[in-house]
Amino acid sequence: MTSELYRCTATQILTKIKAGEISVKDYATSLLERIAARDEAVQAWAFLDPAYVMEQAKALDAVPLAEREPLHGVAIAVKDVIYTKDMPTQFNSPVYNDHAPKIDAGSIMVLRQAGALILGKTTTTEFAATTVGPKTRNPHDSKRTPGGSSSGSGAAVGDFQAPIGLGTQTGGSTIRPGSYNGIYAFKPTWNTITREGQKIYSLILDTLGFYARSVADLELLADTFAILDDVPAPKDFTVKGAKFAFLKTMVWPSVGSGTNATLDKAVSLLRAHGAEVEEITFPEQLNNLPAWHATVLASEGRTAFLPEYTVAKDKISEQLVGHVENSDKITRKAQLEAFDNIAAARPVVDGILSRYAAVLTPSVPDEAPLGIERTGSAAFCLIWTALHTPVVNVPGFKGEHGMPIGVSLVAPRYHDRHLLAVSKKVGDVFEVEGGWKSAV
Amino acid sequence: MTSELYRCTATQILTKIKAGEISVKDYATSLLERIAARDEAVQAWAFLDPAYVMEQAKALDAVPLAEREPLHGVAIAVKDVIYTKDMPTQFNSPVYNDHAPKIDAGSIMVLRQAGALILGKTTTTEFAATTVGPKTRNPHDSKRTPGGSSSGSGAAVGDFQAPIGLGTQTGGSTIRPGSYNGIYAFKPTWNTITREGQKIYSLILDTLGFYARSVADLELLADTFAILDDVPAPKDFTVKGAKFAFLKTMVWPSVGSGTNATLDKAVSLLRAHGAEVEEITFPEQLNNLPAWHATVLASEGRTAFLPEYTVAKDKISEQLVGHVENSDKITRKAQLEAFDNIAAARPVVDGILSRYAAVLTPSVPDEAPLGIERTGSAAFCLIWTALHTPVVNVPGFKGEHGMPIGVSLVAPRYHDRHLLAVSKKVGDVFEVEGGWKSAV
């Protein structure tokens, strides 16, 4: 069934390639056929050259078996804010039309060395910084947004056009498309993966993340990037007997009916499988976390976009002009208070999170909204971006219109492998009993 | 005196160019003659193409007067860890031999747009990360190191081969060469200038900085990069009546006789000019700042150098291999404690610093040591890198062998313009009465 290879996860395809059942060319052909069939509806790609994909596949097939690396032949969709030496990197900005420097981001160096096949570049909002959607549509309903800013990577993985995608998150840019497209999304602890060669919005917030359709694939990527906790993740974790928490956070008033029902069901399912789930709240002194995030974002954006503002102010969006001109009149004093208060909150929140196998919290207010002009709200994600904690979006639920909704699982900083191990078992439950199945 | 134009500061040369007294070509010719005469002794450049410099100068001369930007024709030396689209960027690493992607760092975009003439790329230690010196020699004594990692920029500005240079600092890489080469060095508050396109060692430590031979030039650059405090810097600051502090820090036991005498003299001079100078100490709970810095550095280096380690482990230095392999066995717990403790120290130290016009503290243990194999100790600088505060090295003093020694002036975060205003008046005193005069 070569024609259905595109449905495989990375882990599945690796097994087939290693066993000599299929070639990388077979696999690439299947993916390209899928892309050709679906591209008009989804439009996930900012750049994709099928001939060059086949050229890479041919080169990978020529590597002797003994010299093959752990990701040999695995196809990866790369968000177009990450440099690739053999493809353009255009940030969805007219300032960088046809921009194609011959440089690989640090993450791409690692992936290529591991044998990955770089499929192409996926759409993003402008500089991964705004909420104005690119051309991409949600694979599960083309009238809806796939979310952003990692729109193309989320949609491509959700639509089986790639098994794995790279995203980035500064507010909710990895986790939100994960929920909207019904896939796993993993935002590791801040700075566990180098951001070298990835466009800067905020140094203290920007985080490279992954999309996949299984936790095993996320673990494969975590291995590739040498993400290690102090203590190896439990191999025998079971939902039964584990202790979870459900945290509504200060953002809860903006929750919609779909996410409300999703969290209820998630908690019930975990309890039904023998877990203890406690409802907890943040300490009140952290109620300003979203405001602190906004302040840090705007003030770091002030620094980040000065070059583009200087060179071509008329070609960058009003939001970014506003950052550079400090239109919110954020004082340095307010900027430092926000920066320092978030820093002080991190160990406090780690302490709370460390009492549980994982903490459940919304990924998004509701299912993907109608329209592709806006990429939806990052309200529930940005807290965790600021706190630097790892987050996994676990899919499995649906909203009123049958669109996917995921749940965020959160753990303390540098408990990434632990969180993946827990997410795997939780995902086994949610995927089977949550009520949503992909129809694409 | 076209032949002596190379001795001008940026501010001086701008006046001449604006007045139509000289062309950018005249100026570039003078600099290139200086470089030709001195390059064998100093070897500050990793890349310099005289013909291309003249080509840039010619293009700048062709710009109509009305369209000229604030730095029109000012020559700048760029540390070779910062991307320039028209020159190689090689990081002093064999992994990047002949690496020349067509991309400008954010800082270079801003400088070019301001009309600067990018002279060439200056030497650095490997990835600005080690203390193994490049080929560069101290202009004031070729048997001695110019310091590092911004070796070439420091030496070029100290030797009148460029009026202004770009450096970076993760430990002491900007301030230390400032002291060793007898020039002003400015490390602004962390992330006031974009690091886009500048090689990463540590996200939370790396800071872009400047060299110049006058504070007016540093102010010119601060204007170019829109560095603004909450309150405009005092225009009428006087040393007389101002309150300073002298802070030995926990690193004082490693002070040498030259720096010891320098600080004594600096304090005496300020007092003689009517300032109050109080000796203060850090709170004891901050005694581990250097250890926390080391922990953060190693653990962020673990992330930063994984790509080069993956691609060419045998071509990167043992120190960097050690970071990636975590040879110091730093736990994630220890890493987070160091990261969080530094974060908690920042507002505490700001509070202390805010009581004074500026705090005086050593830039280096002593004058530049003999030999170019090692770039000297960053012990006195790294605290301030971790604390994100602005620092200016003010030259004017000398050690036992007649080599320059500077003093660090420090202010709270985002008091950069204030610090420059104070440093200007302090520099007027130290340069005249400190006892060191450049003989090159």
Side-chain angles (χ1 to χ4, degrees):
Chain A
M1 287 295 288
T2 304
S3 61
E4 291 274 299
L5 288 175
Y6 69 86
R7 292 209 166 262
C8 290
T9 65
T11 313
Q12 290 166 343
I13 211 71
L14 274 171
T15 309
K16 289 179 195 291
I17 294 174
K18 271 185 196 160
E21 283 176 38
I22 59 155
S23 66
V24 181
K25 274 172 70 180
D26 295 337
Y27 177 47
T29 302
S30 176
L31 286 168
L32 290 174
E33 283 170 8
R34 172 66 177 177
I35 292 168
R38 292 283 296 169
D39 192 46
E40 198 182 328
V42 180
Q43 301 188 52
W45 302 92
F47 177 87
L48 189 139
D49 175 356
Y52 181 62
V53 170
M54 291 311 293
E55 198 181 301
Q56 283 185 77
K58 205 174 153 186
L60 285 162
D61 281 333
V63 175
L65 285 172
E67 292 169 26
R68 293 184 174 189
E69 300 288 342
L71 293 186
H72 189 88
V74 170
I76 294 189
V78 177
K79 185 176 181 178
D80 199 25
V81 292
I82 298 168
Y83 278 116
T84 43
K85 66 182 175 187
D86 45 6
M87 299 174 189
T89 304
Q90 301 175 94
F91 312 112
N92 189 17
S93 161
V95 182
Y96 293 93
N97 273 348
D98 301 320
H99 182 60
K102 290 184 179 169
I103 184 175
D104 269 347
S107 51
I108 301 298
M109 285 171 70
V110 172
L111 288 168
R112 271 195 222 274
Q113 185 66 26
L117 191 169
I118 311 296
L119 261 184
K121 305 300 279 282
T122 52
T123 59
T124 173
T125 68
E126 182 187 4
F127 298 117
T130 77
T131 54
V132 178
K135 63 184 178 180
T136 311
R137 293 166 182 279
N138 194 300
H140 308 293
D141 180 352
S142 63
K143 293 186 300 297
R144 293 175 188 268
T145 177
S149 64
S150 310
S151 315
S153 284
V157 174
D159 197 49
F160 299 88
Q161 297 181 30
I164 287 172
L166 297 190
T168 67
Q169 178 156 317
T170 305
S173 286
T174 297
I175 296 300
R176 177 177 33 165
S179 181
Y180 286 176
N181 293 289
I183 55 178
Y184 288 92
F186 175 37
K187 178 188 85 68
T189 301
W190 178 81
N191 202 22
T192 38
I193 300 174
T194 179
R195 62 157 311 144
E196 186 85 58
Q198 170 192 328
K199 187 79 175 90
I200 299 171
Y201 185 177
S202 160
L203 288 182
I204 203 69
L205 298 171
D206 296 348
T207 311
L208 189 77
F210 303 122
Y211 294 113
R213 291 188 305 270
S214 81
V215 175
D217 283 9
L218 297 177
E219 288 179 327
L220 184 68
L221 288 164
D223 286 342
T224 304
F225 285 97
I227 299 180
L228 293 169
D229 301 354
D230 274 342
V231 178
K235 287 191 175 160
D236 53 353
F237 174 81
T238 56
V239 169
K240 188 174 176 174
K243 196 168 147 193
F244 291 87
F246 167 31
L247 174 62
K248 289 182 171 173
T249 80
M250 67 295 278
V251 193
W252 190 253
S254 68
V255 81
S257 60
T259 292
N260 198 343
T262 287
L263 266 296
D264 269 357
K265 190 161 189 181
V267 169
S268 302
L269 283 174
L270 291 180
R271 285 182 179 149
H273 282 263
E276 187 184 330
V277 188
E278 190 181 327
E279 187 168 335
I280 60 170
T281 54
F282 263 140
E284 274 206 12
Q285 76 263 28
L286 300 187
N287 277 349
N288 280 331
L289 266 173
W292 297 335
H293 176 278
T295 297
V296 166
L297 189 69
S299 48
E300 298 213 352
R302 182 176 173 182
T303 293
F305 295 109
L306 180 68
E308 288 79 10
Y309 176 91
T310 306
V311 169
K313 179 183 166 183
D314 55 321
K315 289 183 182 172
I316 64 174
S317 69
E318 209 175 317
Q319 175 193 326
L320 305 181
V321 169
H323 286 345
V324 177
E325 294 181 349
N326 191 23
S327 59
D328 292 340
K329 302 199 187 311
I330 298 166
T331 62
R332 298 303 196 182
K333 185 165 177 284
Q335 175 182 347
L336 290 173
E337 277 171 8
F339 189 89
D340 294 342
N341 285 338
I342 292 173
R346 288 187 196 115
V348 173
V349 173
D350 279 350
I352 297 170
L353 299 173
S354 67
R355 297 181 210 137
Y356 307 96
V359 170
L360 277 70
T361 193
S363 290
V364 288
D366 214 317
E367 55 189 359
L370 280 167
I372 65 163
E373 298 75 20
R374 292 279 158 186
T375 54
S377 162
F380 283 103
C381 306
L382 51 85
I383 314 163
W384 308 107
T385 314
L387 292 168
H388 291 179
T389 58
V391 181
V392 172
N393 176 72
V394 179
F397 303 93
K398 65 183 176 190
E400 284 179 13
H401 304 89
M403 293 293 289
I405 297 183
V407 171
S408 278
L409 264 60
V410 187
R413 289 175 292 171
Y414 289 114
H415 289 65
D416 297 80
R417 303 307 299 249
H418 164 87
L419 183 65
L420 288 172
V422 172
S423 298
K424 189 182 254 174
K425 296 300 175 70
V426 170
D428 288 345
V429 174
F430 290 178
E431 283 199 70
V432 173
E433 300 175 56
W436 180 77
K437 292 273 178 288
S438 174
V440 299
Chain B
M1 288 294 288
T2 304
S3 60
E4 291 274 300
L5 288 174
Y6 69 87
R7 293 211 165 257
C8 290
T9 64
T11 313
Q12 290 166 343
I13 211 71
L14 274 171
T15 309
K16 289 180 194 292
I17 294 174
K18 271 185 195 159
E21 283 175 38
I22 59 155
S23 66
V24 181
K25 273 172 71 180
D26 295 336
Y27 178 47
T29 303
S30 176
L31 286 168
L32 290 174
E33 283 171 7
R34 172 68 177 175
I35 292 167
R38 292 282 297 168
D39 193 45
E40 198 181 328
V42 180
Q43 301 188 52
W45 302 92
F47 177 87
L48 189 139
D49 176 354
Y52 181 62
V53 171
M54 292 311 295
E55 198 181 302
Q56 283 186 78
K58 205 174 153 186
L60 285 162
D61 280 332
V63 175
L65 285 172
E67 291 169 26
R68 293 185 175 188
E69 300 288 344
L71 293 186
H72 189 87
V74 171
I76 294 188
V78 177
K79 184 175 181 179
D80 199 27
V81 293
I82 298 168
Y83 279 116
T84 43
K85 66 182 175 187
D86 45 7
M87 299 174 191
T89 303
Q90 300 175 98
F91 311 112
N92 189 16
S93 162
V95 181
Y96 293 93
N97 273 347
D98 301 321
H99 182 61
K102 291 184 179 171
I103 184 175
D104 270 345
S107 50
I108 301 298
M109 286 171 69
V110 171
L111 289 168
R112 271 194 221 275
Q113 185 66 26
L117 191 168
I118 312 297
L119 261 184
K121 305 299 279 282
T122 51
T123 59
T124 173
T125 68
E126 181 187 4
F127 297 118
T130 78
T131 53
V132 178
K135 62 183 179 182
T136 310
R137 293 168 180 278
N138 194 302
H140 308 293
D141 180 351
S142 63
K143 294 187 299 299
R144 294 174 187 268
T145 177
S149 63
S150 311
S151 315
S153 285
V157 174
D159 196 50
F160 298 88
Q161 297 181 29
I164 287 172
L166 298 190
T168 66
Q169 177 156 318
T170 304
S173 286
T174 297
I175 296 300
R176 178 177 31 165
S179 181
Y180 287 176
N181 294 288
I183 54 177
Y184 287 92
F186 175 38
K187 179 187 85 68
T189 301
W190 178 82
N191 201 23
T192 38
I193 300 173
T194 178
R195 63 156 309 142
E196 186 86 58
Q198 170 193 329
K199 187 79 175 93
I200 298 171
Y201 185 177
S202 160
L203 288 182
I204 203 70
L205 297 172
D206 298 346
T207 311
L208 188 76
F210 303 123
Y211 293 113
R213 292 188 305 270
S214 80
V215 175
D217 284 9
L218 297 177
E219 289 180 326
L220 185 69
L221 288 164
D223 285 344
T224 304
F225 284 97
I227 300 181
L228 293 169
D229 302 354
D230 274 343
V231 177
K235 286 191 176 161
D236 53 353
F237 175 80
T238 55
V239 169
K240 188 174 176 175
K243 196 167 147 193
F244 291 88
F246 168 32
L247 175 62
K248 289 183 170 174
T249 80
M250 67 294 280
V251 193
W252 190 253
S254 67
V255 82
S257 59
T259 292
N260 199 342
T262 287
L263 267 296
D264 269 356
K265 190 161 189 182
V267 170
S268 303
L269 283 174
L270 291 180
R271 284 182 180 150
H273 282 263
E276 188 184 331
V277 187
E278 190 181 328
E279 187 168 337
I280 59 169
T281 54
F282 263 141
E284 274 206 12
Q285 77 262 27
L286 300 186
N287 278 349
N288 280 330
L289 266 173
W292 297 334
H293 176 278
T295 297
V296 167
L297 189 69
S299 49
E300 298 213 351
R302 182 176 173 182
T303 293
F305 295 109
L306 180 69
E308 288 80 11
Y309 177 92
T310 306
V311 169
K313 178 184 166 181
D314 55 322
K315 290 184 183 172
I316 64 174
S317 69
E318 210 176 315
Q319 175 193 328
L320 306 181
V321 169
H323 286 346
V324 177
E325 294 181 349
N326 191 22
S327 59
D328 291 339
K329 303 199 187 310
I330 297 166
T331 62
R332 297 303 196 181
K333 185 165 176 286
Q335 175 182 348
L336 290 174
E337 276 171 6
F339 189 89
D340 293 343
N341 285 338
I342 292 173
R346 287 187 197 114
V348 173
V349 174
D350 279 349
I352 297 170
L353 299 173
S354 67
R355 297 181 212 135
Y356 307 96
V359 170
L360 277 70
T361 193
S363 290
V364 288
D366 214 317
E367 54 189 358
L370 280 166
I372 65 163
E373 299 74 23
R374 291 279 158 186
T375 55
S377 162
F380 283 103
C381 306
L382 50 85
I383 314 163
W384 308 108
T385 315
L387 292 168
H388 291 178
T389 59
V391 181
V392 172
N393 176 72
V394 179
F397 303 92
K398 64 182 175 190
E400 283 178 15
H401 303 89
M403 294 292 290
I405 297 182
V407 172
S408 279
L409 264 60
V410 187
R413 290 175 292 173
Y414 290 114
H415 289 64
D416 297 79
R417 302 307 298 251
H418 164 86
L419 183 64
L420 289 173
V422 172
S423 298
K424 188 182 257 173
K425 296 299 175 74
V426 170
D428 288 345
V429 173
F430 290 178
E431 282 199 69
V432 173
E433 300 176 52
W436 180 79
K437 293 274 178 287
S438 175
V440 299

